[in-house]
Amino acid sequence: MAGTDDNLKQLLDQRERELQAREQRFRNVINRLADGIIIVDAHGAVRFANRAAEQLFDRSADELVGAEFGFPIIVGEATEVDIRRRSGDTVVVEMCVVEIEWEGEPCYLASLRDITDRKRAEQERAEFIREQAARAEAEAAGRRLAFLAEASAILAGSLDYKTTLASVAQLAVPFLADYCIVDLIGEDGALRQVAVAHRDRSKEESLREIRRLYPFDMNQNYGVPKVIRTGQPEIVPEVNSDWYKTAARDDEHLKRMREMDFKSYLIVPLIAGKRTLGAISLVSVSSARRYGQQDLRLAEDLARRAALAIDNARLYEEAQTVSRLKDEFLTTLSHELRTPLTSILGWARIMRSPGLDKESFNYAIASIERNAQAQAQIIQDILDVSNIITGKLQLNIGPVLLPDVIEAAIKSVRPAAEAKSISLETSCDNSIGPITGDADRLQQVVWNLLSNAIKFTPKEGRVKVEVKRDGSDVEIKVSDTGCGIKPDFLPHVFERFRQADGSSTREHGGLGLGLAIVKHLVEMHGGTVMAESGGEDKGATFTIRLPLG
């Protein structure tokens, strides 16, 4: 039995030596690893640390073993942890944890790889990229500012905004677009293409032709009409085939648009104050440009400057027009005042002549009275306009029977109509009850329209007055068979001091105030007045609408 026990003891000792040798080899291998190795038991205490771990923690294995590991154990995942060394430095390590058995107990092996240099390199690279991006953005911002400065210089260089807008469109290509179109709203409300620029000049006429063949539908829910209607920009980063199909009116239109090959577009409104003046369209074609928010901000800045320049130019034109009209008005006024005064003075001298017969005397008195009344009317018109401008014109409100107003006005102008053999016709709905207004001012309105109609209607012509109910309104219509109104003058017919013929040699007299007074008086009564004409020698019709009650 003693021999058997000795043999067993020798076998166990040999096994122990082999295990110790294996563990030593394992330790030797682990100690040669570049990565730090920490073995942690189930309670979080360090059981083993290799030399690389000692270097990472800047502590000896004796200090580490038995101490708390201090980091969360997450098996199967790589995590980054910061290790605070004895020297105060911090190293960043990537830690991977696996489950093992160590000295007969379940433990965890944490592999710690120093990635401080890698992280530093990544940070330096990221910082370099940020610096490059910032430098590129600064350069781009500089180019944008230079572009806006040049555009501003062009816009400020002339009051001919159509020419300057064409120059701005050319400047926008190719800096901001492959082609640029500027549309403005005219005085008549119609949309007009005032500038077209394409990077390929030969295609500019193609753009104009497409617009001529396929003018905008102002009710469409995209593009320039929508931008002008809403006052909001529209940006389409990527134009696809569905967009082409939606926008095309027919196959030919689709073909022409595809030939233009646009890929992305941006439309911004031209807004001055609260008025939308038009829109700028920027389009990218085969280039790599796709519009984004930065492009939108630049385009809106350009549009603001362009709109301000347009508004300033229009205000200057209006000021020049007003100044010219005032000069013309003063010339006309002196002529209109001098004409009756000359007649009055002439007949007064004749009346002093000895031997003047009674018939001539009575004729002189009538002529003096007629010319004095004409001069008084001129003065009254000037006073009315002055009161309108200063807001002093007042109404004496009360019930008004329109048939009485019409009859009184016709009675006043009948002699002038009979002198030219002009037929005066009336059609009045006598069932219309009284309306609320100023009877004298409404008579002045009708008298003005009738006087104008008779003045501009040739001998043996016809002037007609119609009064009828139209829903909750009453409509007064004065029409004639006179010389009509030119289409280009029609929008200005109610403006003060405006006359179709403002020359001193014009055929018909007057100051150009009557219709302006008519418009103001009608609007003071809560109504509207409009003028219509088929053109020269086709007569004119003025329609007043006043609320009933």
Side-chain angles (χ1 to χ4, degrees):
M1 281 297 289
T4 302
D5 290 340
D6 290 341
N7 290 336
L8 181 58
K9 184 175 182 305
Q10 290 176 0
L11 184 61
L12 291 173
D13 289 343
Q14 182 180 353
R15 181 66 174 169
E16 179 66 24
R17 287 193 295 273
E18 288 175 357
L19 288 173
Q20 290 177 354
R22 187 183 302 171
E23 182 178 327
Q24 188 59 47
R25 287 194 300 272
F26 176 72
R27 291 173 183 268
N28 291 337
V29 169
I30 288 179
N31 278 324
R32 286 197 293 268
L33 292 177
D35 292 344
I37 301 295
I38 296 286
I39 295 177
V40 183
D41 64 21
H43 302 291
V46 176
R47 298 283 293 274
F48 172 79
N50 70 350
R51 293 194 185 97
E54 291 178 320
Q55 293 173 356
L56 282 175
F57 285 91
D58 193 18
R59 284 173 172 80
S60 67
D62 290 340
E63 292 177 283
L64 292 172
V65 172
E68 183 76 19
F69 182 51
F71 297 104
I73 301 295
I74 303 174
V75 177
E77 293 185 17
T79 57
E80 290 185 8
V81 296
D82 294 339
I83 295 177
R84 183 80 169 177
R85 308 178 73 187
R86 192 196 303 273
S87 62
D89 297 337
T90 299
V91 292
V92 184
V93 300
E94 185 179 72
M95 182 172 69
C96 295
V97 178
V98 295
E99 295 183 30
I100 64 167
E101 184 178 314
W102 180 261
E103 296 178 342
E105 297 179 18
C107 291
Y108 301 99
L109 184 147
S111 172
L112 306 171
R113 176 166 295 177
D114 187 351
I115 58 171
T116 305
D117 292 340
R118 189 184 81 189
K119 295 294 288 185
R120 186 180 295 114
E122 289 175 355
Q123 290 173 355
E124 289 174 353
R125 176 172 175 77
E127 183 62 29
F128 175 77
I129 292 172
R130 283 194 295 271
E131 289 176 358
Q132 291 293 98
R135 187 177 294 111
E137 174 56 30
E139 291 173 356
R143 289 192 295 270
R144 291 194 294 271
L145 287 174
F147 167 77
L148 290 172
E150 188 172 354
S152 296
I154 292 172
L155 291 167
S158 171
L159 288 168
D160 181 359
Y161 64 85
K162 292 181 180 178
T163 301
T164 56
L165 286 175
S167 299
V168 169
Q170 295 291 346
L171 179 66
V173 176
F175 179 80
L176 196 53
D178 293 311
Y179 72 80
C180 175
I181 297 176
V182 182
D183 293 287
L184 293 183
I185 302 171
E187 291 184 358
D188 57 357
L191 199 61
R192 290 182 174 84
Q193 189 180 79
V194 297
V196 176
H198 197 291
R199 63 176 183 174
D200 180 355
R201 294 294 179 87
S202 65
K203 290 188 177 181
E204 290 180 3
E205 185 53 39
S206 298
L207 289 169
R208 294 188 181 95
E209 185 179 6
I210 289 176
R211 179 69 64 84
R212 284 194 297 268
L213 294 173
Y214 302 96
F216 284 132
D217 174 3
M218 293 308 293
N219 294 316
Q220 69 189 42
N221 199 33
Y222 64 91
V224 172
K226 180 184 177 184
V227 169
I228 288 178
R229 250 192 350 265
T230 63
Q232 297 298 316
E234 180 173 294
I235 180 170
V236 176
E238 192 77 35
V239 174
N240 55 32
S241 58
D242 289 339
W243 185 93
Y244 278 108
K245 292 175 183 176
T246 301
R249 309 273 182 85
D250 52 38
D251 291 342
E252 178 62 23
H253 192 197
L254 179 62
K255 176 185 174 185
R256 287 175 178 267
M257 287 199 302
R258 288 191 183 280
E259 287 173 352
M260 298 312 298
D261 192 31
F262 44 89
K263 307 295 186 186
S264 179
Y265 72 79
L266 172 59
I267 306 171
V268 288
L270 290 162
I271 299 176
K274 294 183 179 180
R275 291 190 305 140
T276 300
L277 309 178
I280 297 178
S281 302
L282 303 166
V283 183
S284 168
V285 292
S286 298
S287 67
R289 179 189 284 119
R290 295 295 180 270
Y291 290 114
Q293 291 302 309
Q294 191 175 77
D295 300 303
L296 175 59
R297 288 192 293 272
L298 178 58
E300 287 180 322
D301 200 340
L302 174 64
R304 279 192 293 271
R305 298 173 191 226
L308 180 61
I310 295 167
D311 199 41
N312 287 340
R314 286 183 172 176
L315 288 173
Y316 176 78
E317 285 183 2
E318 289 173 7
Q320 292 292 96
T321 300
V322 169
S323 177
R324 176 178 56 79
L325 290 175
K326 284 183 177 179
D327 290 342
E328 291 177 359
F329 170 74
L330 291 173
T331 301
T332 301
L333 176 61
S334 63
H335 175 77
E336 292 294 319
L337 288 173
R338 188 168 54 247
T339 298
L341 184 60
T342 300
S343 181
I344 291 169
L345 291 172
W347 282 110
R349 291 191 187 99
I350 291 173
M351 290 175 67
R352 289 177 180 274
S353 302
L356 185 67
D357 60 78
K358 186 175 181 180
E359 183 180 352
S360 297
F361 182 85
N362 289 337
Y363 187 86
I365 290 293
S367 180
I368 289 172
E369 184 179 10
R370 185 173 62 255
N371 282 283
Q373 287 175 344
Q375 197 167 57
Q377 185 60 54
I378 292 171
I379 294 170
Q380 185 59 51
D381 284 350
I382 294 171
L383 290 174
D384 282 345
V385 168
S386 175
N387 287 332
I388 288 171
I389 292 172
T390 58
K392 294 179 180 179
L393 190 65
Q394 300 293 324
L395 298 180
N396 294 317
I397 300 298
V400 179
L401 290 171
L402 285 178
D404 294 347
V405 168
I406 302 300
E407 184 179 348
I410 288 177
K411 185 178 180 180
S412 297
V413 300
R414 192 176 295 281
E418 290 175 349
K420 296 176 68 175
S421 300
I422 291 174
S423 170
L424 277 175
E425 301 177 10
T426 61
S427 173
C428 191
D429 183 355
N430 291 317
S431 68
I432 298 173
I435 68 169
T436 302
D438 185 325
D440 292 335
R441 289 301 186 181
L442 288 175
Q443 183 179 328
Q444 182 183 356
V445 166
V446 178
W447 180 87
N448 259 311
L449 294 180
L450 287 171
S451 296
N452 259 14
I454 292 168
K455 182 196 299 185
F456 292 106
T457 298
K459 289 183 178 181
E460 301 182 353
R462 179 172 55 85
V463 173
K464 185 175 181 180
V465 184
E466 297 175 85
V467 181
K468 64 179 182 179
R469 181 191 295 268
D470 186 6
S472 61
D473 294 335
V474 61
E475 184 178 273
I476 304 171
K477 187 172 290 188
V478 178
S479 56
D480 62 62
T481 58
C483 62
I485 305 171
K486 296 178 181 179
D488 59 342
F489 184 71
L490 197 57
H492 308 287
V493 74
F494 292 106
E495 294 177 13
R496 290 195 299 269
F497 314 128
R498 291 296 286 263
Q499 298 185 85
D501 181 4
S503 66
S504 60
T505 59
R506 67 196 189 284
E507 181 181 353
H508 305 286
L511 297 177
L513 297 178
L515 291 179
I517 294 171
V518 165
K519 183 174 186 293
H520 188 79
L521 290 176
V522 169
E523 289 177 349
M524 286 183 73
H525 282 81
T528 61
V529 60
M530 62 175 294
E532 300 172 273
S533 176
E536 290 188 81
D537 300 322
K538 293 185 178 180
T541 299
F542 289 83
T543 303
I544 297 169
R545 295 181 69 86
L546 296 170
L548 284 167

